[in-house]
Amino acid sequence: MKPSNVKSKYPSLVIPNDYAAAYFPHNNQFVTLQRPGKNKKWRPKFYIRKDRAANMFVGHWSDFVKDNHVREGDICIFQPVKNAGTTFTVTVHLIRKPKVDMLDQNRNCPGGVGSSRGRTRTKVNDHKTVSSSEGRPKAKVTLTTRVKEEPLHHYQGPLESDDSGQGQPSKYPYILSGYAHLNGEQRKKVEEIVRSIQSRVPIYVAILSNSNVGTNSTCILAFGKQYATEYLPDGEQTLTLLRKGKSTTWKVRMVPRSSGSHGQMLTVGWRDFVQDNRLEVEDICLFQQMDDKRLTMTVDIIRHG
């Protein structure tokens, strides 16, 4: 389970295309989720995009998450039930994330504008041997040190403008996607590019995951609700992507996310952009709107490693 599956205001869960095509319904419908040993059942909607770019649980999926206390890092095993009658039924087996790994789970909560959230980790040193001045036998002790790590910075914020209507460079010049965080080196590279652009509209920064580059069959990229609401047009649109120094342009279909999630996502044509530019997991894409034309964007890429 990722933050978008359990922590967002309207959580959803994407089912990989290959698996969904083989084992799930081929049309939009409500399905039944059940847990072993529990009487209660849940009825989320299994939603299939018209372009077949994504299959997902939406709607009452949030009830399943809430009622079963599903958290980030938990594992859900979905077992379609044969001969379950007219309703498609799935048994969900839940494996909890070990508590020792959940101590720092809140570090990914949205930090708001210019926030920083420090993390502390425990470092256990090698065993040290000490002895007393009175000659008693030596004893081994373990020294434990609390080490303060570098704070995490999450820059977000709307475009700042004055009453005259003339846009000014944003005080917070980029919006980071979802619950992603930049490490020190990534942040340095992103801010160097952002400073060089001086965009009046915040630049959208996306750290690519498996579903963004197609390694798990899904190849889409979602713009978050905050960015989409303020800076992208509503409804289905065709977005033109450009790369500096390249003559090729890419036409990508931008469609609204499921009704419960809000925001916009790139679907048809995005895979071509990914393949042509050899994008990989953990590469970073910076989307810059061109000359206030909200349907044209230049994309800068920071390669992972």
Coordinates of all heavy atoms in Angstrom, one line a residue, residues 192-238:
E192 N 18.1 24.4 -9.0 CA 19.0 25.0 -10.0 C 18.3 25.2 -11.3 O 18.3 26.3 -12.0 CB 20.2 24.2 -10.3 CG 21.2 24.8 -11.2 CD 22.5 23.9 -11.4 OE1 22.7 23.1 -10.5 OE2 23.1 24.0 -12.4
I193 N 17.5 24.2 -11.8 CA 16.7 24.4 -13.0 C 15.6 25.4 -12.8 O 15.4 26.2 -13.7 CB 16.2 23.0 -13.4 CG1 17.3 22.1 -13.8 CG2 15.2 23.1 -14.6 CD1 16.9 20.6 -14.1
V194 N 14.9 25.3 -11.7 CA 13.8 26.2 -11.5 C 14.2 27.6 -11.4 O 13.6 28.5 -12.0 CB 13.1 25.8 -10.1 CG1 12.1 26.9 -9.7 CG2 12.4 24.5 -10.2
R195 N 15.4 27.9 -10.8 CA 15.9 29.3 -10.8 C 16.2 29.8 -12.2 O 16.0 31.0 -12.5 CB 17.1 29.4 -9.9 CG 16.8 29.4 -8.4 CD 18.0 29.9 -7.6 NE 19.1 28.9 -7.7 CZ 19.3 27.9 -6.9 NH1 18.5 27.7 -5.9 NH2 20.3 27.1 -7.1
S196 N 16.7 28.9 -13.0 CA 17.1 29.3 -14.4 C 15.9 29.6 -15.2 O 16.0 30.4 -16.2 CB 18.0 28.2 -15.0 OG 17.2 27.1 -15.3
I197 N 14.7 29.0 -14.9 CA 13.5 29.2 -15.7 C 12.8 30.5 -15.3 O 12.3 31.2 -16.2 CB 12.6 28.0 -15.6 CG1 13.3 26.7 -16.2 CG2 11.3 28.2 -16.2 CD1 12.5 25.4 -15.9
Q198 N 12.7 30.7 -14.0 CA 12.0 31.9 -13.5 C 10.5 31.9 -14.0 O 10.0 32.9 -14.6 CB 12.7 33.2 -13.9 CG 14.0 33.4 -13.2 CD 13.8 33.7 -11.7 OE1 13.1 34.6 -11.3 NE2 14.5 32.9 -10.8
S199 N 9.8 30.8 -13.9 CA 8.4 30.7 -14.4 C 7.5 31.5 -13.5 O 7.6 31.5 -12.3 CB 8.0 29.3 -14.5 OG 6.7 29.1 -14.8
R200 N 6.5 32.1 -14.1 CA 5.4 32.8 -13.4 C 4.4 31.8 -12.8 O 3.7 32.1 -11.9 CB 4.7 33.8 -14.2 CG 5.5 35.1 -14.5 CD 4.7 36.1 -15.2 NE 5.3 37.4 -15.3 CZ 6.2 37.8 -16.2 NH1 6.5 36.9 -17.2 NH2 6.7 38.9 -16.2
V201 N 4.4 30.6 -13.4 CA 3.5 29.6 -12.9 C 4.4 28.5 -12.2 O 5.4 28.1 -12.8 CB 2.7 28.9 -14.0 CG1 1.9 27.7 -13.5 CG2 1.8 30.0 -14.6
P202 N 4.1 28.0 -11.0 CA 4.9 27.0 -10.4 C 5.1 25.8 -11.3 O 4.3 25.4 -12.1 CB 4.1 26.6 -9.2 CG 3.2 27.8 -8.9 CD 2.9 28.4 -10.2
I203 N 6.3 25.3 -11.3 CA 6.7 24.1 -12.1 C 6.3 22.9 -11.3 O 6.5 22.8 -10.1 CB 8.2 24.1 -12.4 CG1 8.5 25.3 -13.3 CG2 8.7 22.8 -13.0 CD1 10.0 25.6 -13.5
Y204 N 5.7 21.9 -12.1 CA 5.3 20.7 -11.4 C 6.4 19.7 -11.5 O 7.0 19.4 -12.6 CB 4.1 20.1 -12.1 CG 3.4 19.0 -11.4 CD1 2.6 19.2 -10.3 CD2 3.6 17.7 -11.8 CE1 2.0 18.2 -9.6 CE2 3.0 16.6 -11.1 CZ 2.2 16.9 -10.0 OH 1.6 15.9 -9.3
V205 N 6.8 19.1 -10.4 CA 8.0 18.2 -10.3 C 7.4 16.8 -9.9 O 6.8 16.6 -8.9 CB 9.0 18.7 -9.2 CG1 10.1 17.7 -9.1 CG2 9.5 20.1 -9.5
A206 N 7.7 15.8 -10.8 CA 7.3 14.5 -10.6 C 8.5 13.5 -10.5 O 9.3 13.5 -11.4 CB 6.3 14.0 -11.7
I207 N 8.6 12.7 -9.4 CA 9.5 11.7 -9.3 C 8.9 10.4 -9.9 O 7.9 10.0 -9.3 CB 10.0 11.5 -7.9 CG1 10.6 12.8 -7.3 CG2 11.1 10.4 -7.8 CD1 11.0 12.7 -5.9
L208 N 9.4 9.8 -10.9 CA 8.7 8.8 -11.6 C 8.8 7.4 -10.9 O 9.8 7.1 -10.3 CB 9.3 8.6 -13.0 CG 9.3 9.8 -13.9 CD1 9.8 9.5 -15.3 CD2 7.9 10.4 -14.0
S209 N 7.6 6.8 -10.9 CA 7.5 5.5 -10.3 C 7.2 4.4 -11.4 O 7.2 4.7 -12.6 CB 6.3 5.5 -9.3 OG 5.1 5.7 -10.0
N210 N 7.0 3.2 -10.9 CA 6.8 2.1 -11.9 C 5.6 2.4 -12.8 O 5.6 2.1 -14.0 CB 6.6 0.8 -11.1 CG 7.8 0.2 -10.5 OD1 8.9 0.3 -11.1 ND2 7.7 -0.3 -9.3
S211 N 4.5 2.9 -12.2 CA 3.3 3.1 -13.0 C 3.5 4.3 -13.9 O 2.7 4.4 -14.9 CB 2.1 3.4 -12.1 OG 2.3 4.5 -11.3
N212 N 4.5 5.1 -13.7 CA 4.7 6.3 -14.6 C 5.5 5.9 -15.9 O 5.5 6.5 -16.9 CB 5.5 7.4 -13.9 CG 4.7 7.9 -12.7 OD1 5.4 8.3 -11.7 ND2 3.4 7.9 -12.7
V213 N 6.3 4.8 -15.8 CA 7.2 4.4 -16.9 C 6.8 3.1 -17.5 O 7.5 2.6 -18.4 CB 8.6 4.4 -16.4 CG1 9.1 5.8 -15.9 CG2 8.9 3.3 -15.3
G214 N 5.7 2.4 -17.0 CA 5.2 1.2 -17.6 C 5.9 -0.1 -17.2 O 5.6 -1.1 -17.8
T215 N 6.7 -0.1 -16.2 CA 7.3 -1.3 -15.8 C 6.3 -2.3 -15.1 O 6.6 -3.5 -15.0 CB 8.5 -1.1 -14.8 OG1 8.0 -0.3 -13.7 CG2 9.6 -0.3 -15.5
N216 N 5.2 -1.8 -14.7 CA 4.2 -2.8 -14.2 C 2.9 -2.8 -15.1 O 1.8 -3.0 -14.6 CB 3.8 -2.4 -12.7 CG 3.1 -1.0 -12.6 OD1 3.1 -0.3 -13.6 ND2 2.7 -0.6 -11.5
S217 N 3.1 -2.5 -16.4 CA 2.1 -2.5 -17.4 C 1.3 -1.2 -17.5 O 0.9 -0.7 -18.5 CB 1.2 -3.7 -17.3 OG 0.2 -3.5 -16.3
T218 N 1.1 -0.5 -16.3 CA 0.5 0.8 -16.3 C 1.5 1.9 -16.7 O 2.6 1.9 -16.2 CB -0.1 1.1 -14.9 OG1 -1.0 0.0 -14.6 CG2 -0.8 2.4 -14.9
C219 N 1.0 2.8 -17.6 CA 1.9 3.9 -17.9 C 1.1 5.2 -18.0 O 0.6 5.6 -19.1 CB 2.6 3.6 -19.3 SG 4.0 4.7 -19.7
I220 N 0.9 5.8 -16.9 CA 0.2 7.1 -16.8 C 1.0 8.0 -15.8 O 1.9 7.5 -15.1 CB -1.2 6.8 -16.2 CG1 -1.2 6.2 -14.8 CG2 -2.1 6.0 -17.2 CD1 -2.5 6.1 -14.1
L221 N 0.6 9.3 -15.9 CA 1.2 10.2 -14.9 C 0.1 11.1 -14.4 O -0.5 11.8 -15.3 CB 2.4 11.0 -15.5 CG 3.1 11.9 -14.5 CD1 4.6 11.8 -14.7 CD2 2.7 13.3 -14.6
A222 N -0.1 11.2 -13.1 CA -1.1 12.0 -12.6 C -0.6 13.3 -12.0 O 0.4 13.4 -11.4 CB -1.9 11.3 -11.5
F223 N -1.3 14.4 -12.4 CA -1.0 15.7 -11.7 C -1.9 15.8 -10.5 O -3.1 15.5 -10.5 CB -1.4 16.9 -12.7 CG -0.5 17.0 -13.9 CD1 -0.9 16.6 -15.1 CD2 0.8 17.5 -13.7 CE1 -0.1 16.7 -16.2 CE2 1.7 17.6 -14.8 CZ 1.2 17.2 -16.1
G224 N -1.3 16.3 -9.4 CA -2.1 16.4 -8.1 C -3.2 17.3 -8.2 O -3.3 18.2 -9.1
K225 N -4.1 17.2 -7.2 CA -5.3 18.0 -7.2 C -5.0 19.5 -7.1 O -5.6 20.3 -7.8 CB -6.2 17.6 -6.0 CG -7.4 18.5 -5.8 CD -8.2 18.0 -4.6 CE -9.4 19.0 -4.3 NZ -10.1 18.6 -3.1
Q226 N -4.0 19.9 -6.2 CA -3.7 21.3 -6.0 C -3.3 21.9 -7.3 O -3.7 23.0 -7.7 CB -2.6 21.5 -5.0 CG -2.1 22.9 -4.8 CD -0.9 23.0 -3.9 OE1 -0.5 22.0 -3.3 NE2 -0.3 24.2 -3.8
Y227 N -2.3 21.3 -8.0 CA -1.8 21.8 -9.3 C -2.8 21.8 -10.4 O -3.0 22.8 -11.1 CB -0.6 21.0 -9.7 CG 0.1 21.6 -11.0 CD1 1.0 22.6 -10.9 CD2 -0.2 21.0 -12.2 CE1 1.6 23.1 -12.0 CE2 0.4 21.5 -13.3 CZ 1.3 22.5 -13.3 OH 1.9 23.0 -14.4
A228 N -3.5 20.7 -10.5 CA -4.5 20.6 -11.6 C -5.7 21.6 -11.4 O -6.1 22.2 -12.4 CB -5.1 19.2 -11.6
T229 N -6.1 21.8 -10.2 CA -7.2 22.7 -10.0 C -6.9 24.1 -10.3 O -7.7 24.9 -10.9 CB -7.7 22.6 -8.5 OG1 -8.1 21.3 -8.2 CG2 -8.8 23.6 -8.2
E230 N -5.7 24.6 -10.0 CA -5.3 26.0 -10.2 C -4.7 26.2 -11.6 O -4.9 27.3 -12.1 CB -4.3 26.4 -9.1 CG -4.9 26.4 -7.7 CD -4.1 27.3 -6.8 OE1 -3.7 28.4 -7.2 OE2 -3.9 26.9 -5.7
Y231 N -4.0 25.2 -12.2 CA -3.2 25.6 -13.3 C -3.5 24.8 -14.6 O -2.9 25.0 -15.6 CB -1.7 25.4 -13.0 CG -1.3 26.2 -11.8 CD1 -1.0 25.6 -10.6 CD2 -1.4 27.6 -11.8 CE1 -0.6 26.3 -9.5 CE2 -1.0 28.4 -10.7 CZ -0.7 27.7 -9.6 OH -0.3 28.5 -8.5
L232 N -4.5 23.8 -14.5 CA -4.8 23.0 -15.7 C -6.2 23.2 -16.1 O -7.1 23.3 -15.2 CB -4.5 21.5 -15.5 CG -3.0 21.2 -15.3 CD1 -2.9 19.7 -15.0 CD2 -2.2 21.5 -16.5
P233 N -6.6 23.1 -17.4 CA -8.0 23.2 -17.8 C -8.8 22.0 -17.4 O -8.2 20.9 -17.2 CB -7.9 23.4 -19.3 CG -6.6 22.7 -19.6 CD -5.7 23.0 -18.5
D234 N -10.1 22.1 -17.2 CA -10.9 21.0 -16.9 C -11.2 20.1 -18.1 O -11.1 20.6 -19.3 CB -12.3 21.5 -16.3 CG -12.1 22.2 -15.0 OD1 -11.1 21.9 -14.2 OD2 -12.9 23.1 -14.7
G235 N -11.7 18.9 -17.9 CA -12.1 18.1 -18.9 C -11.0 17.4 -19.7 O -9.8 17.7 -19.4
E236 N -11.3 16.6 -20.7 CA -10.3 16.0 -21.5 C -9.7 17.0 -22.5 O -10.4 17.7 -23.1 CB -10.9 14.8 -22.3 CG -11.4 13.7 -21.4 CD -11.8 12.4 -22.1 OE1 -11.4 12.3 -23.3 OE2 -12.3 11.5 -21.5
Q237 N -8.4 16.9 -22.6 CA -7.6 17.8 -23.4 C -6.4 17.1 -24.0 O -6.1 16.0 -23.6 CB -7.0 19.0 -22.5 CG -8.0 19.7 -21.6 CD -8.9 20.7 -22.4 OE1 -8.6 21.0 -23.6 NE2 -10.0 21.1 -21.8
T238 N -5.9 17.7 -25.1 CA -4.6 17.2 -25.7 C -3.5 18.2 -25.3 O -3.5 19.3 -25.6 CB -4.7 17.1 -27.2 OG1 -5.8 16.2 -27.6 CG2 -3.4 16.7 -27.8

